[in-house]
Amino acid sequence: MSGLFNNLTWFVGVVEDRQDLTNAGRVRVRAFGVHPPKGEALPTHHLPWATVLDGSYGSAQVIPKVGDWVFGFFVDGREAQHPMVMGRIPGMNLSFPAGAGQPGEDGYIPPESLQDFGAPPLHRYVSGEDADFGQTILQRAFRKEDISMANGDTFDEPSIMTPERNLDNRVIKSKNGDNFLVLCDPVENEGGDFILLSHSSGSVFQIDPKGTIFVKSFGDTYNSTEGLEFNNVTGSQHTNIKEDWTLKVETGSGKVWINGDLDIECENFNVTARNTVNIKAAIKSNISGGSVGLFATSDDVNIVAYDNIKNMSGNILSAGGFYVQSLFGDIHMDSYKMNLYSTAYTKITSLGTPAISTQTIPYPDATHKGVEINSPVLVSLTSLGTVAISAVTAASVHSLGVTNVSAVGKVDVTAGATLNLKAVGITSLDGLLVNIGMGTAETSIATLTAIATLRGPQVVLASALPSITERAKVVNPGNIPPSRPSLFGSNFVQRQNLPMTSFMGHGDDTNT
């Protein structure tokens, strides 16, 4: 029986040192009644190292801290050289290693133990004492309320559970008790249970009695997943961000599917696509703005409508107009019917430069110049006032059939030089009285001047003064970034073609 531990000597003592350089978790304990008070007779560094028994089998290792009262036994009995610590004795910690001197003196109290002097032995989430101790005040003070949502509603942060007396709570805490995990059982006749993981900074993870999960960080939060991440929300999701928000998809594609409406409100809305932008609406697409610009940098602008295309500009205040310019190309308008209407005047001006294009729509027009009005049936000029035909060189009225000049009043044919009247067939002059060589009462110069006055002053357009003085103004789209390099090391792909005009500027608003 000599090999058995049948001469154990039990002891109660206080931990004085835990800095075991062998990293075995041992402590030095001054056993009451076995070791003399701390002093020169037996300083701390002469105490034997005590092995701390671990009932968790290594899954939750805890080393008693300096100042803890512990209970254990000496394996070698009264020799007292091989102590083992079985557990900690909860108490008010009113007794530390004897005295209160300086380091190295008898009775020195380690600074790390002072915080336990007079402290309750049970954690505040068990005893309910010191409810305002630690991070509790911080968590209460910084609870957010009336957090705005994008739809105009608000929400509040859930309240963090505060310490209450519940002897059934399970608490796993750090040495000073400010980092802890609380597993709360329902209080008898009160109901409710929760799980609380709280950090000394105030950051917290909580599951309340209703099963609501609340996570709050008083610092930064990082989520990193090497695999897939799936989120499923059967209700609504609301996010409030005080500063910036960014989203980046490195190598794949993105898709947003919403069964209802999508409303986006922002200061400036910019969309950049390295290839094509497609916007499709089953019913209608509406675009409005203080100014709207369309700019095709290398190809056409195409507008197609199933029904009508309607353009309207200006009002009684702005007096805005409709301007189209194509100085280096053609303007073609084909329709079943065409009506031009203006309340002031309609003017058609051509500089007469011979065409050099080879286009065949509506017909080959090389060398064509001037103004042409063609109709296989009828060309009619009607005015309730005056019709004036004026030419600097010559004016020709020609018809393959009948040419009729008729007036209800008087018809004057006047020539400043020679007047020729000729017919291949019969020439007839008929009237109530026919005078030849007896003088005529032609329209006076004053009458001709009056007719010209009705037209008002006419502006002769020269090649240096085109009729279009307002040019389209669009926003310079800037450079489009190239494609991302592939995983196989291919080069960047530059998708933007160079502008085909040389007068495109680099400002925000550019005249083109």
Side-chain angles (χ1 to χ4, degrees):
M1 301 294 292
S2 60
L4 300 178
F5 298 133
N6 54 0
N7 293 317
L8 300 180
T9 298
W10 302 93
F11 70 86
V12 173
V14 61
V15 176
E16 291 190 359
D17 185 12
R18 54 184 288 180
Q19 301 301 322
D20 180 13
L21 298 182
T22 67
N23 290 327
R26 300 177 301 173
V27 295
R28 285 191 171 107
V29 179
R30 190 173 297 275
F32 303 142
V34 177
H35 302 132
K38 183 176 180 180
E40 296 181 358
L42 185 60
T44 299
H45 65 275
H46 283 177
L47 291 174
W49 286 105
T51 300
V52 179
L53 301 182
D54 182 4
S56 70
Y57 298 94
S59 62
Q61 300 176 4
V62 178
I63 302 174
K65 60 181 179 293
V66 174
D68 278 349
W69 283 30
V70 294
F71 171 76
F73 58 89
F74 290 102
V75 176
D76 54 351
R78 292 188 175 277
E79 295 293 327
Q81 297 301 309
H82 298 288
M84 287 192 175
V85 174
M86 297 181 64
R88 170 180 169 270
I89 301 176
M92 296 302 293
N93 292 327
L94 295 178
S95 178
F96 286 98
Q102 297 295 321
E105 297 182 358
D106 183 28
Y108 169 63
I109 300 177
E112 64 267 23
S113 300
L114 294 177
Q115 63 184 12
D116 294 329
F117 185 79
L122 297 177
H123 193 269
R124 53 187 178 274
Y125 273 84
V126 178
S127 66
E129 296 185 76
D130 290 338
D132 294 332
F133 184 76
Q135 62 267 44
T136 304
I137 297 178
L138 180 67
Q139 293 169 344
R140 286 179 179 177
F142 284 90
R143 178 175 177 264
K144 298 291 190 304
E145 296 180 346
D146 295 328
I147 302 173
S148 62
M149 299 185 295
N151 61 2
D153 296 335
T154 60
F155 69 94
D156 301 333
E157 289 183 351
S159 298
I160 298 175
M161 297 298 177
T162 56
E164 293 182 353
R165 181 176 176 82
N166 186 347
L167 300 182
D168 292 327
N169 281 355
R170 300 291 184 266
V171 178
I172 301 175
K173 67 183 184 68
S174 61
K175 183 181 70 173
N176 62 8
D178 282 343
N179 297 319
F180 54 87
L181 169 65
V182 181
L183 304 176
C184 174
D185 287 331
V187 179
E188 186 176 357
N189 300 325
E190 294 184 13
D193 62 318
F194 65 89
I195 296 175
L196 177 68
L197 175 62
S198 184
H199 186 261
S200 60
S201 65
S203 296
V204 63
F205 171 88
Q206 173 181 275
I207 304 178
D208 71 8
K210 296 181 180 179
T212 299
I213 297 177
F214 177 47
V215 179
K216 182 169 184 176
S217 171
F218 278 83
D220 298 330
T221 300
Y222 293 86
N223 293 315
S224 181
T225 303
E226 295 296 332
L228 300 176
E229 180 177 348
F230 298 91
N231 294 306
N232 181 48
V233 180
T234 58
S236 299
Q237 184 180 44
H238 302 281
T239 302
N240 182 289
I241 301 173
K242 294 297 184 183
E243 295 184 10
D244 297 334
W245 174 77
T246 62
L247 174 65
K248 182 178 182 180
V249 179
E250 291 280 354
T251 58
S253 301
K255 184 175 183 179
V256 177
W257 189 93
I258 298 177
N259 189 46
D261 297 337
L262 174 63
D263 299 324
I264 299 176
E265 179 180 337
C266 61
E267 191 68 22
N268 296 303
F269 185 70
N270 302 300
V271 177
T272 298
R274 290 183 294 271
N275 200 330
T276 303
V277 176
N278 297 307
I279 299 176
K280 180 180 180 181
I283 305 299
K284 181 183 288 188
S285 296
N286 296 312
I287 300 175
S288 64
S291 177
V292 178
L294 296 176
F295 182 29
T297 61
S298 61
D299 207 335
D300 300 333
V301 174
N302 297 287
I303 300 176
V304 179
Y306 173 81
D307 204 340
N308 299 318
I309 296 177
K310 303 175 182 179
N311 295 296
M312 183 176 69
S313 64
N315 53 51
I316 193 171
L317 298 178
S318 67
F322 185 77
Y323 299 91
V324 178
Q325 184 183 48
S326 179
L327 294 180
F328 305 101
D330 298 345
I331 295 178
H332 298 290
M333 300 180 69
D334 298 333
S335 68
Y336 171 63
K337 295 181 295 183
M338 182 178 295
N339 298 293
L340 299 177
Y341 171 80
S342 64
T343 58
Y345 67 87
T346 301
K347 179 181 292 185
I348 300 175
T349 301
S350 174
L351 298 180
T353 302
I356 60 174
S357 63
T358 59
Q359 297 182 5
T360 59
I361 299 176
Y363 47 76
D365 58 1
T367 73
H368 282 217
K369 59 180 179 293
V371 177
E372 292 187 13
I373 300 177
N374 300 290
S375 173
V377 180
L378 173 67
V379 175
S380 176
L381 300 177
T382 302
S383 173
L384 298 179
T386 301
V387 176
I389 300 176
S390 176
V392 175
T393 303
S396 174
V397 178
H398 177 71
S399 173
L400 296 179
V402 177
T403 299
N404 182 32
V405 178
S406 175
V408 175
K410 183 171 60 174
V411 176
D412 291 325
V413 179
T414 303
T418 303
L419 176 63
N420 296 314
L421 296 175
K422 180 182 179 181
V424 177
I426 299 173
T427 300
S428 299
L429 292 175
D430 188 17
L432 181 62
L433 178 63
V434 177
N435 295 318
I436 299 177
M438 298 179 66
T440 59
E442 72 274 6
T443 303
S444 65
I445 299 299
T447 303
L448 295 176
T449 303
I451 294 174
T453 302
L454 291 175
R455 298 178 60 209
Q458 300 300 298
V459 178
V460 179
L461 298 178
S463 59
L465 296 173
S467 62
I468 298 298
T469 58
E470 295 256 349
R471 295 185 177 183
K473 181 180 291 186
V474 298
V475 176
N476 188 336
N479 294 327
I480 297 179
S483 298
R484 300 290 182 184
S486 70
L487 298 178
F488 303 100
S490 62
N491 296 328
F492 286 87
V493 178
Q494 181 62 264
R495 297 184 182 274
Q496 181 181 6
N497 295 319
L498 294 177
M500 297 188 66
T501 57
S502 61
F503 45 78
M504 177 177 172
H506 300 285
D508 289 338
D509 288 333
T510 303
N511 290 332
T512 61

